[in-house]
């Protein structure tokens, strides 16, 4: 039997905002197109509003929030807004894809040279447009006014990042560590603890450095911190974070997660536009993991090694438990 899937990260709104003529039906250009989501039995999909750190980033995030509201959610045969008090019904028994929004890179909340207060005003506007946010990631690959990113490993949390953490406390929005530098992630966790802030912690689309040594993957110390805080870790399908040449290593990441973070493991496949392929027309994803249709075949392989409860937890139950705690 195909299980319902909760996925913590895709870039469909960024694709729709960025690519002229793009639609949510573009099965050859993005792995989370509507037919892929339906075939993979995705029942809750996080739409991360991604923006690079550059002039115009804040306007681009608002454009995605409007597309989320006025494009995706208007397709009522396929999508439904997340209803925090009815998550079990939507995911386990529903037939539509429930949508929840998130922020990937807080540069989308305010420009690098704007007063920080603009970030808080825009955040409230985004919530008004898109509904509750599952998480905010402070950075993308590079550093910004808030913290260091994956490509800036020695740069930690900055003063504006501290203020954003203070603002998030108690607002039922998780902190996403998927793109922070290790230094920034550890600074954030220390700041949360020292100031007794109420902020859940996840890594929405991250694999494990012990399995494949890419700096974007989580070291064991951060895996343990997410587990200790009852957070989530979403398995990423991008080949450069799985393994560039060995697609079977995705199962090794999942096995490692089920050993070290069984109550935290979820999916965060990170499907984004493939209209700009790698050199030679090569995909960013291994063929076995190239779109959301593949969830069920991955689960089928895992059934040979793991119990039904472990598979249920990975596919949807861990994420549902987290969200019920987040939005009681």
């Amino acid at each position: 039997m195909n299980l319902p899937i909760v996925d913590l990260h895709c870039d469909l709104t960024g694709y729709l905002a960025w690519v002229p003529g793009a639609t949510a039906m573009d099965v050859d250009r993005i792995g989370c197109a509507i037919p892929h989501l339906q075939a993979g039995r995705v029942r809750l999909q996080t739409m991360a509003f991604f923006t690079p750190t550059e002039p115009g980033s804040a306007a681009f995030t608002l454009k995605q929030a409007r597309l989320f509201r006025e494009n995706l959610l208007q397709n009522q045969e396929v999508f439904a807004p997340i209803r925090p008090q009815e998550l079990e019904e939507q995911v386990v028994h529903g037939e539509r894809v429930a949508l929840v929004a998130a922020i990937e890179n807080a540069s989308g909340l305010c420009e690098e040279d704007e007063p920080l207060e603009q970030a808080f005003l825009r955040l409230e506007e985004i919530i008004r447009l898109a509904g509750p946010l599952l998480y905010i990631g402070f950075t993308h690959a590079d550093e910004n006014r808030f913290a260091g990113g994956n490509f800036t490993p020695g740069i930690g949390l900055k003063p504006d990042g501290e203020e954003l953490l203070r603002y998030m406390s108690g607002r039922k929005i998780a902190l996403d560590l998927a793109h922070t530098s290790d230094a920034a992630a550890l600074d954030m966790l220390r700041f949360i603890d020292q100031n007794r802030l109420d902020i859940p912690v996840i890594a929405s689309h991250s694999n494990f450095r012990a399995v494949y040594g890419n700096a974007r993957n989580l070291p064991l110390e951060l895996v343990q911190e997410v587990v200790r805080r009852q957070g989530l870790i979403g398995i990423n399908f991008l080949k450069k974070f799985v393994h560039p040449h060995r697609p079977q290593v995705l199962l090794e990441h999942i096995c490692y997660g089920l050993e070290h973070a069984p109550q935290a493991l979820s999916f965060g496949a990170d499907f984004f536009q493939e209209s700009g392929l790698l050199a030679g027309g090569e995909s960013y994803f291994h063929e076995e993991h190239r779109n959301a249709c593949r969830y069920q075949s991955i689960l089928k392989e895992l059934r040979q090694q793991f119990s039904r409860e472990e598979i249920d937890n990975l596919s949807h139950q861990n994420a549902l438990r987290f969200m019920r705690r987040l939005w009681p």
Side-chain angles (χ1 to χ4, degrees), residues 238-254:
L238 271 167
K239 66 167 65 169
K240 68 178 179 179
F241 306 135
V242 173
H243 189 283
H245 312 297
R246 298 175 55 221
Q248 65 271 27
V249 175
L250 182 74
L251 296 183
E252 295 178 25
H253 284 286
I254 293 174

Side-chain angles (χ1 to χ4, degrees), residues 184-308:
L186 294 171
D187 283 352
M188 290 171 176
L189 298 177
R190 280 191 292 268
F191 190 84
I192 288 169
D193 292 346
Q194 290 168 358
N195 293 276
R196 299 182 180 181
L197 303 182
D198 177 16
I199 305 175
V201 174
I202 72 170
S204 68
H205 52 303
S206 298
N207 293 340
F208 301 107
R209 207 172 295 173
V211 176
Y212 179 65
N214 187 291
R216 255 284 276 117
N217 293 338
L218 295 174
L220 180 58
E221 180 179 11
L222 289 178
V223 173
Q224 292 170 334
E225 283 291 343
V226 173
V227 170
R228 183 171 74 84
R229 296 160 195 270
Q230 297 184 289
L232 290 174
I233 299 170
I235 289 291
N236 190 315
F237 288 10
L238 271 167
K239 66 167 65 169
K240 68 178 179 179
F241 306 135
V242 173
H243 189 283
H245 312 297
R246 298 175 55 221
Q248 65 271 27
V249 175
L250 182 74
L251 296 183
E252 295 178 25
H253 284 286
I254 293 174
C255 291
Y256 182 91
L258 289 172
E259 177 183 355
H260 293 277
Q263 298 303 308
L265 206 64
S266 187
F267 286 120
D270 197 12
F271 292 125
F272 64 91
Q273 63 166 311
E274 292 230 78
S275 52
L277 296 174
L278 296 170
E282 182 185 355
S283 172
Y284 287 100
F285 300 88
H286 293 295
E287 185 60 34
E288 294 86 341
H289 319 133
R290 194 170 180 181
N291 58 55
C293 300
R294 312 295 190 174
Y295 290 117
Q296 300 302 329
S297 60
I298 292 167
L299 294 180
K300 184 178 180 180
E301 288 191 66
L302 290 167
R303 287 192 184 101
Q304 300 173 32
Q305 296 177 250
F306 298 99
S307 69
R308 173 62 186 268

